[in-house]
Amino acid sequence: MSIPDSTDQFETVDSSLKMTCIDSFATTATALRRALILVLVASGPATAAELDSIEPSIVRILNYAQQPNWYAPWDALRATQRSGSGFMVSGGLIMTNAHVVSDSRHLVVHRNGDPSPHRVEVLHVAHDCDLALVRPLEPELFSDAPVLQFGELPSLGSTVVTYGYPAGGRHIASTRGVVSRIESQLYSHSGADSHLAIQTDAAINPGSSGGPVVQDGAVVGVAFQAAQDLENVGFFIPTEVVDHFLTDVADGSYDGYPEFGISVSSLESPAARRKAGLAADESGVIVDLVLIGNSADGLVQPKDVILEVDGHLVANDGTIVRDGMRLGLGVLFDAHQTGDVIKLRLLRDGVRLLVEATMAPPSRQFRRFARAYDVLPRYYVYGGLVFVPLGRNTLETLGESWASSDEKHLLYEYLQRFYHDPTALTEEPVLMLRRLDHPVNANGAWASNLVVKRVNGRAIASLEQLVEAIESQRDRYHLLEFAYYKRFIALDREEAENAHREILERYGVSVDRHL
């Protein structure tokens, strides 16, 4: 996961490239026409022989999904149908994208040319790298289908062919394109994780997500997202990310990418290098921040210069050379599983030293920077006040432009506070999201989007602490104090408790909490 240092990081890969997952939510009439045009103008489909060897292993996936309502967390949004693609891998399983199968209520696949739907279930899902494995409920369904084999990282300028069911179509389409860029990109499904991705001009359209990208008969990636603002620019997940996922789930569960937990700055300025104490023949990046509770905690310190990672020299711009390519430093951390040891050579106060760190998964608090899927929102309702943890999904209830919202205190709490107070990342910010108006609370001056600081004199660092502070109160009044602006609310405890059931029934709240 990328450590956020600005709101832009959650919206773009760079200043000109906005990314989006490709699925059937985009199938408006305009999007359909555009998708079909892109298929027609692609540089050429696969040959008949190629299709014959690949087609039997590719499926169309239909996901009848229902997402929670993060503004009314006891409720759910309208169910929708998504479409995507997938392909057969070993063990009778189907590989696809996480965003194709997330929040599923009913999941089926169609084999090419088969009008009958076949039920499948999600076996493993990785929202941090947008991959999933699904299992047919009919064990012999694909016994006659060839298992597609994985290949190596394709070279720049080489040709690849993508396969899938674009634009919700019922027939496989293929597009041929050229590999034009290999580097770390923001994965738009989570909105916060960056991993290696490959850019191609092979059209990747709505419904193509999860389809294989093939070179010389082997799968070299999984189609997953496109650049919204550019024509014929798509991205696929390379096999090294796929291998990381498959290795992780080999023990029956998915742990996720471990988090080293540092923020660094480049040392491209000669003056900055001299100030850091680098010799003329040395290069590296300087550590700005070490996040409490992650792999680097206690081993790496702010102001350390990272000279080398796992034997790879670190350039002043934060890149390394691997397999003849210059890539971002993050690919070396991504190469490890939870429990692996990573080796760093550092410069600290003029002393060069070797540090070994055991890679650990990110904390629950750290994952709040990513969108959550396949989970019910945590919340608590008391006296008509709705309390939730502050996370990405909740912020997105402010609208698509949430990162430029007027709620600047929320953006600071979410994006910046832990830079100034590293202990903040060990806490769970709790938000009074909204008020269900009732006479017991209607006279309060403040109604929404307030970060809770104290309740009845107790500091609040999690939703559970807030519940305990409220439900253990025996005095006549509750006092809720909020961070920023010195705001507060007082509630009459007896009146709030007497009105509790009435408020829940009036607003259709089935249960007052999910913790």
Side-chain angles (χ1 to χ4, degrees):
M1 173 184 279
S2 301
I3 299 171
D5 56 7
S6 72
T7 56
D8 291 341
Q9 184 168 352
F10 289 93
E11 297 300 318
T12 60
V13 174
D14 58 39
S15 61
S16 63
L17 194 62
K18 181 171 285 189
M19 311 304 295
T20 181
C21 294
I22 300 298
D23 58 34
S24 62
F25 284 128
T27 55
T28 61
T30 300
L32 276 170
R33 286 195 297 272
R34 181 176 179 274
L36 291 171
I37 290 170
L38 289 178
V39 171
L40 293 173
V41 302
S43 55
T47 66
E50 289 171 333
L51 284 173
D52 288 342
S53 64
I54 299 294
E55 274 187 354
S57 299
I58 302 175
V59 299
R60 180 167 64 103
I61 301 175
L62 295 180
N63 179 11
Y64 300 88
Q66 188 174 42
Q67 295 177 303
N69 184 340
W70 291 84
Y71 186 68
W74 51 86
D75 204 351
L77 301 175
R78 180 177 61 88
T80 58
Q81 178 183 294
R82 309 176 188 175
S83 71
S85 305
F87 59 97
M88 292 301 301
V89 295
S90 60
L93 303 178
I94 299 166
M95 175 162 282
T96 186
N97 290 136
H99 76 261
V100 171
V101 300
S102 60
D103 296 316
S104 179
R105 298 296 176 265
H106 179 58
L107 195 63
V108 299
V109 300
H110 288 265
R111 298 190 64 177
N112 190 45
D114 181 2
S116 301
H118 301 275
R119 288 190 62 196
V120 294
E121 61 182 357
V122 177
L123 182 62
H124 298 293
V125 63
H127 296 296
D128 57 355
C129 63
D130 203 0
L131 290 171
L133 287 173
V134 300
R135 176 171 54 194
L137 298 187
E138 305 167 50
E140 303 302 317
L141 178 61
F142 291 97
S143 59
D144 60 338
V147 172
L148 300 187
Q149 302 300 315
F150 291 102
E152 301 298 324
L153 190 73
S155 59
L156 287 169
S158 62
T159 300
V160 295
V161 181
T162 65
Y163 295 86
Y165 291 85
R170 296 177 179 271
H171 300 285
I172 293 175
S174 64
T175 57
R176 189 179 301 272
V178 173
V179 172
S180 55
R181 183 161 59 162
I182 302 174
E183 62 183 21
S184 292
Q185 301 281 358
L186 181 70
Y187 279 34
S188 61
H189 175 59
S190 76
D193 294 280
S194 293
H195 304 294
L196 200 65
I198 302 178
Q199 179 180 314
T200 176
D201 59 1
I204 298 176
N205 302 301
S208 296
S209 284
V213 181
V214 177
Q215 185 177 78
D216 298 328
V219 176
V220 295
V222 181
F224 80 123
Q225 66 187 31
Q228 287 183 334
D229 301 326
L230 300 175
E231 295 290 337
N232 281 8
V233 173
F235 291 85
F236 60 92
I237 301 170
T239 50
E240 68 177 72
V241 177
V242 175
D243 288 344
H244 191 283
F245 168 62
L246 293 177
T247 300
D248 191 323
V249 302
D251 63 358
S253 64
Y254 183 67
D255 298 316
Y257 273 84
E259 183 57 52
F260 195 63
I262 60 173
S263 174
V264 300
S265 291
S266 67
L267 286 174
E268 296 174 274
S269 162
R273 290 197 296 274
R274 291 193 297 270
K275 177 68 167 59
L278 287 174
D281 60 347
E282 288 182 314
S283 63
V285 291
I286 191 165
V287 176
D288 301 320
L289 178 70
V290 179
L291 299 178
I292 294 174
N294 289 280
S295 309
D297 188 15
L299 297 171
V300 179
Q301 299 177 9
K303 305 304 180 185
D304 283 353
V305 177
I306 301 177
L307 305 172
E308 190 175 306
V309 176
D310 283 343
H312 295 267
L313 295 176
V314 179
N316 294 318
D317 64 352
T319 61
I320 54 94
V321 175
R322 197 203 68 178
D323 301 328
M325 293 183 293
R326 187 160 289 281
L327 302 170
L329 176 61
V331 299
L332 299 179
F333 297 100
D334 274 2
H336 290 279
Q337 299 281 351
T338 294
D340 287 354
V341 173
I342 190 168
K343 299 179 180 180
L344 294 87
R345 193 164 63 89
L346 305 175
L347 172 62
R348 177 183 299 164
D349 297 328
V351 178
R352 287 153 185 82
L353 63 158
L354 183 67
V355 169
E356 295 186 352
T358 301
M359 297 296 284
S363 63
R364 183 178 77 174
Q365 286 79 6
F366 197 69
R367 288 306 303 175
R368 72 172 182 256
F369 297 117
R371 293 188 187 94
Y373 299 92
D374 300 317
V375 295
L376 295 176
R378 294 166 57 232
Y379 72 93
Y380 176 65
V381 179
Y382 180 83
L385 306 180
V386 181
F387 301 97
V388 299
L390 176 61
R392 173 70 178 256
N393 298 68
T394 299
L395 278 172
E396 288 183 343
T397 66
L398 299 175
E400 291 185 3
S401 58
W402 65 270
S404 58
S405 166
D406 289 336
E407 303 284 4
K408 302 303 181 186
H409 63 291
L410 297 187
L411 299 179
Y412 173 80
E413 183 73 29
Y414 181 68
L415 293 170
Q416 297 293 331
R417 183 185 157 204
F418 64 90
Y419 275 93
H420 308 125
D421 176 12
T423 63
L425 205 57
T426 66
E427 303 172 354
E428 176 182 69
V430 177
L431 186 67
M432 193 188 88
L433 176 66
R434 55 187 291 208
R435 183 178 68 197
L436 308 178
D437 292 330
H438 186 274
V440 301
N441 62 42
N443 292 327
W446 320 115
S448 64
N449 296 327
L450 297 171
V451 178
V452 181
K453 184 177 182 180
R454 282 187 295 269
V455 173
N456 299 327
R458 300 188 192 183
I460 301 302
S462 71
L463 185 60
E464 288 79 5
Q465 287 182 6
L466 179 138
V467 174
E468 170 63 20
I470 288 178
E471 298 193 345
S472 64
Q473 174 72 326
R474 294 296 174 263
D475 292 342
R476 177 66 184 270
Y477 296 99
H478 292 293
L479 180 63
L480 290 81
E481 300 173 74
F482 302 106
Y484 314 106
Y485 315 121
K486 297 184 178 180
R487 294 172 174 173
F488 69 92
I489 288 178
L491 288 178
D492 186 299
R493 180 175 63 84
E494 292 181 3
E495 290 181 358
E497 291 174 358
N498 290 336
H500 186 64
R501 180 53 52 189
E502 177 191 347
I503 294 172
L504 297 183
E505 291 177 355
R506 178 181 296 182
Y507 288 91
V509 181
S510 56
V511 60
D512 67 2
R513 73 194 69 191
H514 179 255
L515 304 177

